[in-house]
Amino acid sequence: ETGVTQTPRHLVMGMTNKKSLKCEQHLGHNAMYWYKQSAKKPLELMFVYNFKEQTENNSVPSRFSPECPNSSHLFLHLHTLQPEDSALYLCASSQEEDSIYEQYFGPGTRLTVT
Amino acid sequence: SQQGEEDPQALSIQEGENATMNCSYKTSINNLQWYRQNSGRGLVHLILIRSNEREKHSGRLRVTLDTSKKSSSLLITASRAADTASYFCATDLANAGGTSYGKLTFGQGTILTVHP
């Protein structure tokens, strides 16, 4: 898990707050991902970045704003969230090899919106 | 409904027994991957099988793929208490010559409990 780090590990925020989640990968990968994991639901892909360019936005509400300044860092900026946005937010990275993307996940940020 | 669906949703066994989890999907895939997640943590990649493969082994893990039935199974042999976790299958839908940039679709997972 040390290949992909996420901060903070836990976050409690009010609906009017603005906060950011940070992800850093130390694996030299060129693709990074944000996932949302809610209780009793499958892992939901939110955003995909490949070589810093966003290649997927999976119909995510605009209150979630991703940023990828370079291939090693990925942010998720949060503002005016809803209680239903409380979930575990997972970051992952991968390196394409022969059309295969094996993903390496960080430990996640447990977000609670009050 | 979802691309990947696992069954059973929960499995409880004794240490030393084998555990089998199944995954079904709906559309053609490039490859299928299995991941493990310990409670509240990130996912860990276990094993990958390509669409032109039928079976793969890795230590105590054996994965099979039947593209005609659009299903896969993960077998953990001689289970240990440390195998207690949630197990997810994930499908990569990229067609030959294309790329998905790793856009995986995950199932809801099987919760495995191994009792010492």
Side-chain angles (χ1 to χ4, degrees), chain A residues 39-101:
Chain A
K40 302 190 185 305
K41 292 177 69 175
L43 207 62
E44 299 172 57
L45 178 66
M46 300 175 72
F47 301 104
V48 179
Y49 278 82
N50 193 265
F51 289 106
K52 303 186 299 176
E53 298 298 321
Q54 188 179 119
T55 57
E56 184 79 24
N57 177 337
N58 213 20
S59 302
V60 180
S62 60
R63 57 185 184 271
F64 295 91
S65 175
E67 179 189 1
C68 188
N70 54 61
S71 293
S72 299
H73 294 85
L74 186 64
F75 295 88
L76 188 62
H77 304 299
L78 315 172
H79 64 98
T80 59
L81 294 192
Q82 305 298 311
E84 60 264 29
D85 297 322
S86 298
L88 181 68
Y89 288 84
L90 293 163
C91 173
S93 70
S94 68
Q95 176 70 34
E96 185 268 338
E97 184 173 332
D98 194 18
S99 299
I100 297 290
Y101 291 82

Side-chain angles (χ1 to χ4, degrees), chain A residues 1 33 37 40 42 101 103, chain B residues 33 37 41 101-102 108:
Chain A
E1 286 186 11
Y33 314 81
Q37 187 176 34
K40 302 190 185 305
Y101 291 82
Q103 297 189 15
Chain B
Q33 305 179 31
Q37 183 181 33
R41 307 288 295 279
Y101 297 112
Q108 197 148 345

